[in-house]
Protein backbone atom coordinates (compact mmCIF):
# COMPACT_ATOMS: atom_id res chain seq x y z
CA UNK A 1 0.00 0.00 0.00
CA UNK A 2 1.26 3.48 -0.87
CA UNK A 3 0.59 6.54 1.25
CA UNK A 4 0.53 10.12 0.07
CA UNK A 5 2.72 12.55 1.98
CA UNK A 6 3.04 16.29 1.82
CA UNK A 7 5.77 17.36 -0.64
CA UNK A 8 7.58 19.62 1.84
CA UNK A 9 6.69 18.46 5.34
CA UNK A 10 6.92 21.04 8.09
CA UNK A 11 8.88 20.26 11.25
CA UNK A 12 5.63 19.17 12.95
CA UNK A 13 4.54 17.00 10.00
CA UNK A 14 3.59 13.34 10.16
CA UNK A 15 6.87 12.42 8.44
CA UNK A 16 8.66 14.17 11.28
CA UNK A 17 6.61 12.22 13.81
CA UNK A 18 7.50 8.93 12.09
CA UNK A 19 11.16 9.88 12.17
CA UNK A 20 10.93 10.69 15.87
CA UNK A 21 9.75 7.19 16.82
CA UNK A 22 12.68 5.55 15.08
CA UNK A 23 12.91 3.42 11.92
CA UNK A 24 11.82 0.15 13.53
CA UNK A 25 8.65 1.55 15.08
CA UNK A 26 7.91 3.54 11.94
CA UNK A 27 8.14 0.36 9.84
CA UNK A 28 5.76 -1.41 12.20
CA UNK A 29 3.29 1.49 12.04
CA UNK A 30 3.30 1.56 8.23
CA UNK A 31 3.01 -2.24 8.13
CA UNK A 32 -0.04 -2.26 10.39
CA UNK A 33 -1.71 0.37 8.25
CA UNK A 34 -0.98 -1.71 5.15
CA UNK A 35 -2.71 -4.72 6.73
CA UNK A 36 -5.85 -2.69 7.43
CA UNK A 37 -6.28 -1.39 3.89
CA UNK A 38 -7.52 -4.70 2.33
CA UNK A 39 -10.32 -4.87 4.93
CA UNK A 40 -11.98 -1.86 3.32
CA UNK A 41 -10.96 0.51 6.07
CA UNK A 42 -9.64 3.93 5.10
CA UNK A 43 -6.82 5.58 7.04
CA UNK A 44 -5.84 9.20 7.44
CA UNK A 45 -3.70 11.41 9.65
CA UNK A 46 -4.54 15.06 10.15
CA UNK A 47 -2.42 17.91 11.48
CA UNK A 48 -4.33 19.58 14.29
CA UNK A 49 -2.38 22.81 13.82
CA UNK A 50 -3.45 23.31 10.19
CA UNK A 51 -6.53 21.07 10.02
CA UNK A 52 -5.10 19.50 6.84
CA UNK A 53 -4.53 15.86 6.01
CA UNK A 54 -0.83 14.99 6.05
CA UNK A 55 -1.22 11.27 5.39
CA UNK A 56 -3.94 9.27 3.67
CA UNK A 57 -4.49 5.79 2.31
CA UNK A 58 -5.56 5.37 -1.29
CA UNK A 59 -9.04 4.47 -0.10
CA UNK A 60 -9.46 7.92 1.43
CA UNK A 61 -8.87 9.56 -1.92
CA UNK A 62 -11.37 7.21 -3.58
CA UNK A 63 -13.89 7.89 -0.85
CA UNK A 64 -13.81 11.63 -1.50
CA UNK A 65 -13.78 11.20 -5.27
CA UNK A 66 -10.12 12.17 -5.59
CA UNK A 67 -8.49 8.86 -6.39
CA UNK A 68 -5.69 10.39 -8.48
CA UNK A 69 -4.93 13.63 -6.62
CA UNK A 70 -5.69 12.27 -3.14
CA UNK A 71 -6.56 14.42 -0.15
CA UNK A 72 -3.14 15.15 1.36
CA UNK A 73 -2.93 18.90 1.89
CA UNK A 74 -6.70 19.25 1.89
CA UNK A 75 -8.82 20.26 4.89
CA UNK A 76 -12.29 19.01 5.74
CA UNK A 77 -13.68 22.38 4.66
CA UNK A 78 -12.46 21.54 1.13
CA UNK A 79 -14.23 18.18 1.17
CA UNK A 80 -17.34 18.36 3.35
CA UNK A 81 -20.28 20.58 4.24
CA UNK A 82 -19.91 23.05 7.10
CA UNK A 83 -22.06 21.08 9.56
CA UNK A 84 -20.09 17.93 8.77
CA UNK A 85 -16.80 19.79 9.29
CA UNK A 86 -17.88 20.93 12.74
CA UNK A 87 -18.83 17.36 13.77
CA UNK A 88 -15.42 16.13 12.63
CA UNK A 89 -13.61 18.82 14.59
CA UNK A 90 -15.52 18.04 17.79
CA UNK A 91 -14.63 14.35 17.58
CA UNK A 92 -10.95 15.11 16.92
CA UNK A 93 -10.77 17.46 19.88
CA UNK A 94 -12.39 14.79 22.08
CA UNK A 95 -9.68 12.31 21.06
CA UNK A 96 -6.95 14.82 21.88
CA UNK A 97 -8.52 15.76 25.21
CA UNK A 98 -9.04 12.16 26.35
CA UNK A 99 -5.68 10.95 25.07
CA UNK A 100 -7.35 7.68 24.12
CA UNK A 101 -9.16 5.88 21.33
CA UNK A 102 -12.47 7.62 20.57
CA UNK A 103 -15.11 6.31 18.15
CA UNK A 104 -17.90 8.36 16.64
CA UNK A 105 -20.48 7.93 13.90
CA UNK A 106 -20.81 10.40 11.04
CA UNK A 107 -23.45 10.73 8.35
CA UNK A 108 -21.89 12.32 5.29
CA UNK A 109 -23.23 13.16 1.87
CA UNK A 110 -21.29 12.06 -1.22
CA UNK A 111 -22.73 12.65 -4.69
CA UNK A 112 -26.19 13.28 -3.28
CA UNK A 113 -26.19 10.03 -1.30
CA UNK A 114 -26.09 9.80 2.47
CA UNK A 115 -23.50 7.39 3.80
CA UNK A 116 -22.74 6.36 7.37
CA UNK A 117 -19.25 5.90 8.80
CA UNK A 118 -17.73 4.75 12.03
CA UNK A 119 -14.56 6.78 12.56
CA UNK A 120 -12.12 5.67 15.25
CA UNK A 121 -9.51 8.24 16.22
CA UNK A 122 -6.28 8.08 18.18
CA UNK A 123 -4.00 11.01 19.03
CA UNK A 124 -0.39 10.88 17.84
CA UNK A 125 1.21 13.21 20.33
CA UNK A 126 -0.22 16.71 20.47
CA UNK A 127 0.16 17.49 16.79
CA UNK A 128 -1.73 14.79 14.89
CA UNK A 129 -4.79 12.57 15.04
CA UNK A 130 -4.97 9.26 13.20
CA UNK A 131 -8.41 8.16 12.00
CA UNK A 132 -9.69 4.79 10.82
CA UNK A 133 -12.81 5.11 8.65
CA UNK A 134 -15.24 2.18 8.24
CA UNK A 135 -18.19 2.48 5.87
CA UNK A 136 -21.31 1.23 7.71
CA UNK A 137 -23.87 2.28 5.10
CA UNK A 138 -24.79 -1.18 3.81
CA UNK A 139 -24.71 -2.64 7.31
CA UNK A 140 -27.16 0.02 8.50
CA UNK A 141 -29.41 -0.68 5.50
CA UNK A 142 -29.45 -4.38 6.35
CA UNK A 143 -30.26 -3.59 9.98
CA UNK A 144 -33.14 -1.35 8.85
CA UNK A 145 -34.55 -4.04 6.54
CA UNK A 146 -34.24 -6.64 9.30
CA UNK A 147 -36.01 -4.37 11.76
CA UNK A 148 -38.87 -3.86 9.32
CA UNK A 149 -39.15 -7.62 8.75
CA UNK A 150 -39.24 -8.24 12.51
CA UNK A 151 -41.95 -5.62 12.93
CA UNK A 152 -44.05 -7.27 10.21
CA UNK A 153 -43.57 -10.68 11.83
CA UNK A 154 -44.58 -9.26 15.20
CA UNK A 155 -47.80 -7.87 13.73
CA UNK A 156 -48.57 -11.24 12.11
CA UNK A 157 -48.00 -13.08 15.39
CA UNK A 158 -50.25 -10.67 17.26
CA UNK A 159 -52.99 -11.07 14.65
CA UNK A 160 -52.77 -14.87 14.80
CA UNK A 161 -52.97 -14.85 18.58
CA UNK A 162 -55.99 -12.55 18.52
CA UNK A 163 -57.79 -14.81 16.02
CA UNK A 164 -56.89 -17.89 18.04
CA UNK A 165 -58.28 -16.37 21.25
CA UNK A 166 -61.54 -15.45 19.53
CA UNK A 167 -61.94 -18.96 18.09
CA UNK A 168 -61.12 -20.70 21.37
CA UNK A 169 -63.23 -18.46 23.58
CA UNK A 170 -65.26 -20.60 25.96
CA UNK A 171 -63.43 -23.80 25.02
CA UNK A 172 -61.83 -24.21 28.45
CA UNK A 173 -58.30 -23.93 27.07
CA UNK A 174 -55.57 -21.73 28.49
CA UNK A 175 -56.00 -18.25 27.06
CA UNK A 176 -52.29 -17.48 26.72
CA UNK A 177 -51.00 -20.71 25.17
CA UNK A 178 -54.18 -22.12 23.63
CA UNK A 179 -53.46 -25.52 25.23
CA UNK A 180 -55.44 -27.75 27.55
CA UNK A 181 -55.13 -27.03 31.27
CA UNK A 182 -54.11 -29.03 34.33
CA UNK A 183 -57.50 -30.70 34.91
CA UNK A 184 -57.61 -32.11 31.37
CA UNK A 185 -54.00 -33.23 31.68
CA UNK A 186 -54.62 -35.18 34.89
CA UNK A 187 -57.63 -36.93 33.32
CA UNK A 188 -55.70 -37.73 30.14
CA UNK A 189 -52.73 -39.08 32.10
CA UNK A 190 -54.95 -41.46 34.09
CA UNK A 191 -56.61 -42.66 30.87
CA UNK A 192 -53.23 -43.26 29.23
CA UNK A 193 -52.02 -45.25 32.23
CA UNK A 194 -55.21 -47.35 32.26
CA UNK A 195 -55.14 -47.95 28.50
CA UNK A 196 -51.44 -48.77 28.37
CA UNK A 197 -51.77 -51.15 31.33
CA UNK A 198 -54.66 -53.05 29.73
CA UNK A 199 -53.09 -53.19 26.26
CA UNK A 200 -49.51 -53.73 27.51
CA UNK A 201 -48.14 -50.81 25.58
CA UNK A 202 -45.98 -47.79 26.44
CA UNK A 203 -46.43 -44.05 26.28
CA UNK A 204 -44.20 -41.10 27.08
CA UNK A 205 -44.65 -38.08 29.33
CA UNK A 206 -42.65 -34.95 28.51
CA UNK A 207 -42.46 -31.98 30.84
CA UNK A 208 -41.33 -28.69 29.31
CA UNK A 209 -40.11 -25.62 31.20
CA UNK A 210 -39.60 -22.24 29.60
CA UNK A 211 -36.03 -21.08 30.19
CA UNK A 212 -35.43 -17.51 31.45
CA UNK A 213 -34.96 -14.93 28.71
CA UNK A 214 -32.58 -11.99 28.91
CA UNK A 215 -35.30 -9.88 27.26
CA UNK A 216 -37.41 -10.19 30.40
CA UNK A 217 -35.01 -7.87 32.22
CA UNK A 218 -36.08 -5.00 29.97
CA UNK A 219 -39.51 -6.04 28.66
CA UNK A 220 -40.80 -7.81 31.78
CA UNK A 221 -44.09 -9.70 31.89
CA UNK A 222 -44.96 -8.73 28.33
CA UNK A 223 -41.93 -10.67 27.07
CA UNK A 224 -42.92 -13.69 29.17
CA UNK A 225 -46.41 -13.70 27.69
CA UNK A 226 -45.05 -13.51 24.13
CA UNK A 227 -42.75 -16.47 24.82
CA UNK A 228 -45.62 -18.49 26.31
CA UNK A 229 -47.73 -17.71 23.25
CA UNK A 230 -44.85 -18.76 20.99
CA UNK A 231 -44.38 -22.04 22.84
CA UNK A 232 -48.12 -22.69 22.60
CA UNK A 233 -47.98 -22.19 18.82
CA UNK A 234 -45.06 -24.59 18.52
CA UNK A 235 -46.72 -27.31 20.62
CA UNK A 236 -50.04 -27.03 18.77
CA UNK A 237 -48.24 -27.32 15.43
CA UNK A 238 -45.93 -30.20 16.42
CA UNK A 239 -48.18 -32.66 18.27
CA UNK A 240 -50.45 -35.29 16.79
CA UNK A 241 -54.21 -35.39 17.26
CA UNK A 242 -53.89 -38.35 19.66
CA UNK A 243 -51.29 -36.57 21.80
CA UNK A 244 -52.17 -34.16 24.60
CA UNK A 245 -50.29 -30.86 24.99
CA UNK A 246 -51.21 -29.00 28.18
CA UNK A 247 -50.14 -26.08 30.34
CA UNK A 248 -49.87 -27.44 33.88
CA UNK A 249 -48.16 -24.50 35.63
CA UNK A 250 -47.14 -20.89 35.19
CA UNK A 251 -44.04 -21.87 33.20
CA UNK A 252 -44.50 -25.64 32.93
CA UNK A 253 -46.02 -27.60 30.08
CA UNK A 254 -46.67 -31.29 29.51
CA UNK A 255 -47.05 -33.45 26.44
CA UNK A 256 -48.43 -37.00 26.49
CA UNK A 257 -47.20 -38.98 23.52
CA UNK A 258 -49.64 -41.86 23.19
CA UNK A 259 -48.14 -45.19 22.12
CA UNK A 260 -44.67 -43.69 21.69
CA UNK A 261 -41.55 -45.28 23.17
CA UNK A 262 -38.70 -43.53 24.91
CA UNK A 263 -36.26 -43.45 21.98
CA UNK A 264 -38.80 -42.09 19.52
CA UNK A 265 -40.06 -39.54 22.05
CA UNK A 266 -36.53 -38.32 22.75
CA UNK A 267 -35.86 -37.85 19.02
CA UNK A 268 -39.13 -35.95 18.53
CA UNK A 269 -38.54 -33.68 21.52
CA UNK A 270 -34.99 -32.96 20.44
CA UNK A 271 -36.34 -31.90 17.05
CA UNK A 272 -38.96 -29.75 18.77
CA UNK A 273 -36.31 -28.15 20.99
CA UNK A 274 -34.25 -27.20 17.94
CA UNK A 275 -37.27 -25.81 16.12
CA UNK A 276 -38.24 -23.72 19.15
CA UNK A 277 -34.68 -22.46 19.57
CA UNK A 278 -34.64 -21.25 15.95
CA UNK A 279 -38.18 -19.87 16.16
CA UNK A 280 -38.40 -16.08 16.06
CA UNK A 281 -40.71 -14.63 18.71
CA UNK A 282 -40.83 -10.86 18.33
CA UNK A 283 -41.81 -8.14 20.77
CA UNK A 284 -41.21 -4.43 20.09
CA UNK A 285 -38.95 -5.37 17.17
CA UNK A 286 -36.74 -7.64 19.30
CA UNK A 287 -36.29 -11.40 18.93
CA UNK A 288 -36.86 -12.77 22.43
CA UNK A 289 -35.20 -16.16 21.91
CA UNK A 290 -37.31 -19.23 22.75
CA UNK A 291 -35.35 -21.72 24.86
CA UNK A 292 -36.73 -24.84 26.56
CA UNK A 293 -35.69 -27.42 29.14
CA UNK A 294 -37.34 -30.82 28.68
CA UNK A 295 -37.62 -33.93 30.82
CA UNK A 296 -38.71 -37.20 29.18
CA UNK A 297 -40.12 -40.17 31.11
CA UNK A 298 -41.83 -43.31 29.79
CA UNK A 299 -44.48 -45.71 31.04
CA UNK A 300 -43.83 -48.36 32.24
CA UNK A 301 -40.01 -48.30 31.87
CA UNK A 302 -39.37 -45.18 33.94
CA UNK A 303 -42.31 -45.67 36.29
CA UNK A 304 -45.66 -47.45 36.33
CA UNK A 305 -47.54 -45.11 38.71
CA UNK A 306 -48.80 -41.58 38.07
CA UNK A 307 -46.95 -39.85 40.92
CA UNK A 308 -43.69 -41.65 40.19
CA UNK A 309 -43.90 -40.88 36.46
CA UNK A 310 -44.52 -37.19 37.12
CA UNK A 311 -41.76 -37.06 39.72
CA UNK A 312 -39.25 -38.66 37.35
CA UNK A 313 -40.10 -36.19 34.56
CA UNK A 314 -39.84 -33.24 36.97
CA UNK A 315 -36.39 -34.37 38.12
CA UNK A 316 -35.30 -34.63 34.47
CA UNK A 317 -36.53 -31.08 33.77
CA UNK A 318 -34.64 -29.74 36.77
CA UNK A 319 -31.51 -31.51 35.58
CA UNK A 320 -31.88 -29.88 32.15
CA UNK A 321 -32.19 -26.50 33.86
CA UNK A 322 -29.20 -27.24 36.08
CA UNK A 323 -27.14 -27.88 32.96
CA UNK A 324 -27.98 -24.42 31.65
CA UNK A 325 -31.27 -25.03 29.84
CA UNK A 326 -32.03 -25.59 26.17
CA UNK A 327 -31.64 -29.35 26.65
CA UNK A 328 -33.62 -32.59 26.56
CA UNK A 329 -32.88 -34.92 29.47
CA UNK A 330 -34.11 -38.51 29.85
CA UNK A 331 -35.43 -39.51 33.24
CA UNK A 332 -33.36 -42.18 34.92
CA UNK A 333 -34.74 -45.73 34.73
CA UNK A 334 -34.71 -47.58 38.07
CA UNK A 335 -32.46 -50.64 38.19
CA UNK A 336 -34.34 -53.77 37.21
CA UNK A 337 -37.11 -51.95 35.30
CA UNK A 338 -35.28 -51.26 32.05
CA UNK A 339 -35.01 -53.53 29.12
Amino acid sequence: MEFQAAASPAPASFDAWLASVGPQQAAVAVGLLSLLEPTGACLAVKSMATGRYVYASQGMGELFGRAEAGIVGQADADLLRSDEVQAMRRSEQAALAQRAVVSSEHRLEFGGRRREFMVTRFPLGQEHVMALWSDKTEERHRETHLQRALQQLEQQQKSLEQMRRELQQGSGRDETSGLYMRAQFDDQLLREIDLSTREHREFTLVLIALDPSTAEATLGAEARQSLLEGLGRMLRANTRAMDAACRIGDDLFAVLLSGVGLATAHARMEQLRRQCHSQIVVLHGQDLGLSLSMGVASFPHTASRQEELLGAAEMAVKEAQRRGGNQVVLASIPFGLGG
Side-chain angles (χ1 to χ4, degrees), residues 205-235:
L205 166 64
V206 183
L207 292 187
I208 304 171
L210 192 62
D211 292 330
S213 169
T214 55
E216 290 181 69
T218 54
L219 300 176
E222 196 175 3
R224 198 67 172 176
Q225 174 153 330
S226 294
L227 288 169
L228 292 170
E229 290 172 350
L231 176 53
R233 287 193 298 272
M234 294 300 293
L235 289 178

Side-chain angles (χ1 to χ4, degrees), residues 178-254:
L179 302 175
Y180 292 113
M181 301 179 72
R182 182 66 193 243
Q184 293 96 326
F185 166 76
D186 289 336
D187 290 342
Q188 185 67 28
L189 178 56
L190 287 173
R191 282 197 294 268
E192 279 293 335
I193 291 176
D194 181 63
L195 181 63
S196 297
T197 300
R198 285 187 286 107
E199 297 186 358
H200 302 286
R201 67 173 192 172
E202 57 186 339
F203 73 91
T204 301
L205 166 64
V206 183
L207 292 187
I208 304 171
L210 192 62
D211 292 330
S213 169
T214 55
E216 290 181 69
T218 54
L219 300 176
E222 196 175 3
R224 198 67 172 176
Q225 174 153 330
S226 294
L227 288 169
L228 292 170
E229 290 172 350
L231 176 53
R233 287 193 298 272
M234 294 300 293
L235 289 178
R236 295 195 306 272
N238 289 277
T239 50
R240 305 168 303 171
M242 68 278 290
D243 299 329
C246 310
R247 183 180 182 183
I248 63 173
D250 289 342
D251 301 315
L252 190 63
F253 294 76

Side-chain angles (χ1 to χ4, degrees), residues 147-160:
Q147 197 62 35
R148 288 175 181 168
L150 288 173
Q151 289 171 352
Q152 291 175 356
L153 180 57
E154 181 176 358
Q155 290 302 316
Q156 291 173 359
Q157 290 176 348
K158 287 181 176 178
S159 297
L160 287 173

